[in-house]
Amino acid sequence: MARWKTLAVYGLAFLVRMALAPFFGHSWDAYVWVKSGELFVGGRDVYSVRSLTDFPWGFYAYPPMWLYWLGISYYIAGFQNNLNLYMLVVKLPIIIADLAVAVLISKMAAEMNLLRIAGKSAILWLFNPLVILISAVWGMFDSIPVALSLWGVLMAVRRRYLFASFLFGLGAAVKIYPLLLVLPLCFYIIFHEKKEYRESLKVLSAALAGFIVPMAPYLTNPLPIIDKLLYHFGNVGSFTYWTVLSVVSPPPAIPIISYGLFLLILYLAFRKYLKERASWSVFELSAVTLLAFLATSAKVNVQYVLWILPFLLIFSLRASGKEFRLNTFLLVSAGLLFIAAAQTALAIFDLRNIGKIVISREVQSVTFGGFILILSALLGGSRFVTLLMNLLKTGKTVWTVSRIALVLLVMVFAAVVMVFPVGTGLVLPKYRVVVGVTEGVEALFNKSDMYELSPVLDKFELTHLVFPVGPEALMYGGDYGKSFRFKLSNEAWTMEDMRNLATQLTKRGVKPLLGIYLKATYVSIHYGYHGYNSSRFITEYGDCIDGEANIYFQCVTSSGVTLARVFAERALYSAREMGFAGVYVMGADWQGGEETMASVASLVSELRQLSIGKGFEIFVEADLLSTKDHPWVEEILLNQSDYVVVLTNPFINSLKRPLQGNFTAGLYKAHLERILQKTGGRASTLFSVHVMDIAEGWVSPALQLQVEVNTFASVPGIKGYAIYHVNRYLPVKISFK
């Protein structure tokens, strides 16, 4: 009878997942699964796909085991042109892995003489809503490496160390993290089993064999796959406290700091084991290792909860105390809250949105959904830390329910005061010229709502709106979307689409400007993989581009004219054909020296000469801290443009260049006053307001912004300002006076 009950339980869990699997999927991950399977079946090396900026929310960056299944799935169902069937086939091994994890949990409990909790812990996994959402609804395959790693731990508990290590390696051929478990296994063999170091070498060799063998087809040219696997180590987010910390402190050192913390905590944990002669098995050591990683890593996604959940379920039912069970419950709840908020704000599990991230029509900025995402990330990240403390028995923690609620309220209050000011919010002055600078069209508009501009424009009192693109689109046309700095989807934006958008803006009294990025390429790995490439442009004009992607427009091309002339002609042609009112020159490397400044000056001069009598407005960014020793550059900018936008960004420069000077609002005010004292120039002077940058992952505290705005607006002779960057997610309430 008991056997039939067990089969019924597992059968029900299987049916629940199968009922959900065909109809849901993460809109971007499902697109990556389909595209990767298609490329694999077509004989393409997925790891050699270079245009990752065409896939802003990530492309295939995992070991090849899952890729093989994507190819098989595409071969079985991809040619049927039935997305529901394809999703069902893709998710089959994930669903089977879910069931396998439940079996392994019960076997592990029995192995640890906890037979009384074996069934309960398995059921808590099988019918855990977070597990079901991630596997059957989302379609993320973490359950597969979870099954392999848990099987490996079970084998290690049974002292079959080589087989256990091989399973860890095999799990890492699906997703890298099971390799972490080789560390506690080697530690246990050396310090508990008292075996020689060569036994650990055998264990390492077994793990390497399990990892390398599935990757064999890609080892003849290993650099592309290594490059893709390293992508995760430079990223930040999203189910961790680092998500919030990186917003106001975005240095690239964050991943290095986090991994340093992991090694330090792991060292202290292992030292505690040796000092106290703790009666830990490989099971406990493995749990400590995973929790130490999740508690410190800058890159933690919500699906990573599944890595540690089997361990937490067994510990919770093993009478580890109310506090441990509470923190496990809060961790799972935070994961559910995170997914629910993401679905509310982004509709990410709707297969109709495959290949793009769609903002819900009601969510035009950081609203309730986005706020809950941040809070759930903070709650989840802090639970990893607290559970690690519980497991290490560092003393009773202070994290009761009431104290957790109090701390979250304090965090909310601090965020409201610093970033989300109430009342009038960030008060901006009314000027004759107010420019909104975007990171790309999709930061503000989708194609579906391109003709409904009111929800966005009503928030800002703009006179001009800038849509910047990279050099490739300006020179050759085609898909302008590929040259956006920030993208939500892989949808093509043709010249006709851009023209339609410009027409709608003009009707609303807002002048559209074509932004011109002065870098040949741009890539930012923070929340996704954002930027643009200019492969054709680099191939044709490579002699005029340096290793830092700076373009030297004063360079003479093979046709005998300067690149500035060629580029200015194409830029103005594009602007005219799309109905733009002018151009906005931006993104230059002002710290690159006099030659890069001369490059900007030569382009602006050509733009002015070619636009005479055509009614085009020319805007140009300028970093006065860099140009102050080159007055001739400033003279050209003031005489050849209509508006000089002075980059007044002391807070952001303090973060990006902390060792290069003391950047204050007063310093920038002095340079504004200096440039306004120059006479004879035609250009009006604007300052800039740097609110947030999605691609780079920072946001300025509202109190700091208000100080900067008040300081710069007090300079006599200022004609307006530019807001960097206007978008739907702007977390600051803005009002105009």
Side-chain angles (χ1 to χ4, degrees):
M1 180 64 71
R3 183 178 179 183
W4 285 109
K5 286 183 179 179
T6 301
L7 288 175
V9 169
Y10 279 81
L12 179 59
F14 178 76
L15 290 175
V16 168
R17 287 162 169 79
M18 291 294 286
L20 295 169
F23 306 109
F24 301 96
H26 190 286
S27 58
W28 190 262
D29 287 335
Y31 169 72
V32 172
W33 299 164
V34 173
K35 199 69 179 175
S36 300
E38 178 187 351
L39 291 173
F40 183 82
V41 171
R44 291 279 306 277
D45 180 1
V46 171
Y47 298 107
S48 295
V49 173
R50 303 308 304 170
S51 300
L52 289 184
T53 51
D54 294 344
F55 305 94
W57 302 105
F59 196 54
Y60 193 88
Y62 305 100
M65 285 281 280
W66 180 243
L67 177 62
Y68 298 149
W69 178 249
L70 294 177
I72 294 171
S73 300
Y74 191 84
Y75 188 80
I76 294 172
F79 295 114
Q80 306 298 321
N81 199 27
N82 187 326
L83 183 59
N84 300 115
L85 175 62
Y86 181 81
M87 292 308 300
L88 178 63
V89 173
V90 163
K91 293 176 183 177
L92 272 176
I94 305 174
I95 293 172
I96 293 170
D98 269 359
L99 304 183
V101 170
V103 172
L104 289 164
I105 288 173
S106 61
K107 287 186 176 294
M108 181 65 73
E111 192 71 28
M112 299 169 65
N113 297 317
L114 299 171
L115 194 58
R116 59 186 175 80
I117 68 167
K120 290 181 182 178
S121 53
I123 289 174
L124 285 174
W125 170 271
L126 284 173
F127 296 100
N128 190 303
L130 183 62
V131 176
I132 295 171
L133 279 171
I134 289 172
S135 59
V137 175
W138 186 326
M140 185 49 73
F141 58 95
D142 287 69
S143 290
I144 299 174
V146 168
L148 289 168
S149 59
L150 194 58
W151 188 10
V153 173
L154 178 61
M155 292 298 101
V157 170
R158 292 176 178 176
R159 305 182 69 179
R160 297 178 60 185
Y161 300 131
L162 290 181
F163 186 43
S165 187
F166 177 80
L167 289 171
F168 294 152
L170 197 61
V174 184
K175 214 164 192 180
I176 292 290
Y177 91 88
L179 283 180
L180 291 172
L181 300 178
V182 178
L183 296 174
L185 179 57
C186 289
F187 176 84
Y188 187 81
I189 289 171
I190 294 171
F191 293 101
H192 185 87
E193 295 285 336
K194 306 296 183 182
K195 293 183 181 286
E196 296 181 2
Y197 282 95
R198 62 184 180 185
E199 292 298 320
S200 292
L201 291 177
K202 291 180 182 178
V203 166
L204 290 173
S205 299
L208 192 62
F211 181 58
I212 292 295
V213 170
M215 298 176 63
Y218 296 96
L219 296 183
T220 54
N221 181 24
L223 292 181
I225 189 171
I226 292 172
D227 180 59
K228 294 299 188 295
L229 294 181
L230 290 177
Y231 160 76
H232 296 281
F233 293 93
N235 215 336
V236 178
S238 53
F239 192 64
T240 170
Y241 51 84
W242 286 110
T243 301
V244 177
L245 293 177
S246 68
V247 165
V248 293
S249 180
I254 283 179
I256 298 173
I257 294 171
S258 70
Y259 296 129
L261 284 173
F262 164 64
L263 293 175
L264 176 62
I265 290 175
L266 198 61
Y267 165 76
L268 294 174
F270 286 178
R271 186 180 178 188
K272 175 182 173 68
Y273 170 87
L274 292 174
K275 187 177 180 179
E276 299 180 4
R277 294 296 174 185
S279 58
W280 292 351
S281 68
V282 178
F283 182 80
E284 283 84 0
L285 287 170
S286 299
V288 166
T289 301
L290 290 176
L291 274 174
F293 179 80
L294 295 170
T296 57
S297 175
K299 172 70 173 178
V300 178
N301 290 326
V302 67
Q303 62 265 29
Y304 295 4
V305 175
L306 270 58
W307 302 359
I308 192 64
L309 188 56
F311 298 88
L312 299 182
L313 293 175
I314 292 176
F315 284 131
S316 296
L317 294 177
R318 196 178 64 172
S320 288
K322 291 182 180 179
E323 186 178 1
F324 193 93
R325 288 193 288 273
L326 171 63
N327 285 318
T328 300
F329 173 78
L330 289 174
L331 176 63
V332 173
S333 299
L336 290 170
L337 195 61
F338 186 92
I339 292 176
Q343 175 63 17
T344 301
L346 305 174
I348 58 174
F349 298 121
D350 190 339
L351 289 177
R352 291 173 298 180
N353 297 330
I354 189 167
K356 54 190 174 183
I357 302 296
V358 176
I359 308 300
S360 298
R361 194 62 62 88
E362 297 81 8
V363 184
Q364 299 297 336
S365 61
V366 176
T367 55
F368 182 73
F371 200 65
I372 295 300
L373 277 173
I374 295 172
L375 286 181
S376 57
L378 284 171
L379 178 60
S382 64
R383 292 315 86 205
F384 288 129
V385 175
T386 308
L387 284 163
L388 178 62
M389 294 170 63
N390 293 154
L391 204 55
L392 292 175
K393 296 183 173 61
T394 56
K396 184 164 180 160
T397 70
V398 298
W399 296 107
T400 61
V401 173
S402 59
R403 287 174 180 173
I404 291 169
L406 180 61
V407 169
L408 288 176
L409 284 174
V410 171
M411 288 179 174
V412 171
F413 177 76
V416 167
V417 170
M418 290 185 63
V419 182
F420 307 93
V422 294
T424 55
L426 175 64
V427 180
L428 296 176
K430 290 188 176 182
Y431 273 103
R432 180 173 61 86
V433 179
V434 178
V435 183
V437 182
T438 71
E439 296 179 69
V441 173
E442 291 182 337
L444 277 177
F445 308 113
N446 295 322
K447 278 192 176 184
S448 58
D449 59 17
M450 190 163 56
Y451 301 102
E452 300 176 17
L453 308 183
S454 297
V456 174
L457 296 183
D458 288 349
K459 184 174 182 177
F460 310 99
E461 297 184 12
L462 302 176
T463 59
H464 299 74
L465 186 57
V466 182
F467 297 108
V469 295
E472 191 96 335
L474 291 174
M475 289 292 291
Y476 310 110
D479 182 1
Y480 284 77
K482 290 182 180 293
S483 293
F484 295 159
R485 183 172 180 266
F486 169 80
K487 297 180 278 289
L488 279 172
S489 72
N490 65 329
E491 283 189 304
W493 283 80
T494 65
M495 181 175 282
E496 183 65 26
D497 295 325
M498 301 293 283
R499 184 185 299 115
N500 290 338
L501 180 57
T503 300
Q504 297 302 315
L505 288 168
T506 303
K507 289 179 179 178
R508 287 291 306 268
V510 177
K511 294 182 179 181
L513 299 175
L514 182 61
I516 304 173
Y517 281 130
L518 299 189
K519 284 274 195 177
T521 62
Y522 172 84
V523 173
S524 176
I525 302 175
H526 199 82
Y527 301 121
Y529 196 107
H530 294 286
Y532 58 85
N533 294 304
S534 303
S535 303
R536 182 179 172 186
F537 178 71
I538 293 172
T539 299
E540 189 168 350
Y541 298 101
D543 292 340
C544 301
I545 303 167
D546 68 14
E548 300 297 318
N550 293 310
I551 306 170
Y552 296 100
F553 292 102
Q554 66 271 44
C555 171
V556 178
T557 67
S558 58
S559 59
V561 298
T562 63
L563 179 57
R565 185 75 178 189
V566 176
F567 196 85
E569 287 175 350
R570 294 300 305 176
L572 292 173
Y573 168 80
S574 296
R576 183 176 64 252
E577 288 297 305
M578 292 188 291
F580 283 79
V583 294
Y584 192 102
V585 180
M586 59 191 300
D589 181 8
W590 290 100
Q591 287 80 50
E594 187 171 8
E595 195 172 2
T596 57
M597 297 181 199
S599 173
V600 179
S602 64
L603 177 62
V604 172
S605 297
E606 290 291 350
L607 287 169
R608 169 54 59 204
Q609 183 177 346
L610 293 171
S611 63
I612 292 175
K614 296 181 180 178
F616 277 116
E617 294 180 317
I618 298 176
F619 290 70
V620 59
E621 287 180 345
D623 181 359
L624 296 186
L625 271 64
S626 299
T627 61
K628 61 184 175 62
D629 296 326
H630 305 279
W632 65 272
V633 174
E634 294 180 347
E635 292 294 337
I636 290 176
L637 299 184
L638 288 169
N639 282 283
Q640 300 298 322
S641 65
D642 297 297
Y643 299 93
V644 172
V645 182
V646 179
L647 294 172
T648 48
N649 50 351
F651 176 74
I652 301 305
N653 264 335
S654 297
L655 291 177
K656 290 184 174 182
R657 302 155 59 191
L659 303 179
Q660 296 182 27
N662 182 25
F663 302 101
T664 65
L667 173 65
Y668 282 90
K669 179 183 178 182
H671 281 289
L672 279 173
E673 292 170 339
R674 176 178 64 80
I675 202 74
L676 284 165
Q677 289 172 1
K678 291 181 178 286
T679 58
R682 64 180 292 159
S684 299
T685 302
L686 314 179
F687 65 89
S688 54
V689 182
H690 296 257
V691 183
M692 75 178 299
D693 190 307
I694 305 172
E696 292 188 358
W698 54 256
V699 79
S700 296
L703 294 178
Q704 171 69 24
L705 272 179
Q706 193 65 70
V707 170
E708 293 179 8
V709 168
N710 293 345
T711 301
F712 305 143
S714 68
V715 177
I718 289 291
K719 301 301 182 183
Y721 52 88
I723 305 172
Y724 292 75
H725 295 94
V726 293
N727 56 61
R728 281 183 280 196
Y729 327 102
L730 210 61
V732 180
K733 180 181 178 182
I734 292 179
S735 59
F736 294 85
K737 259 186 190 179

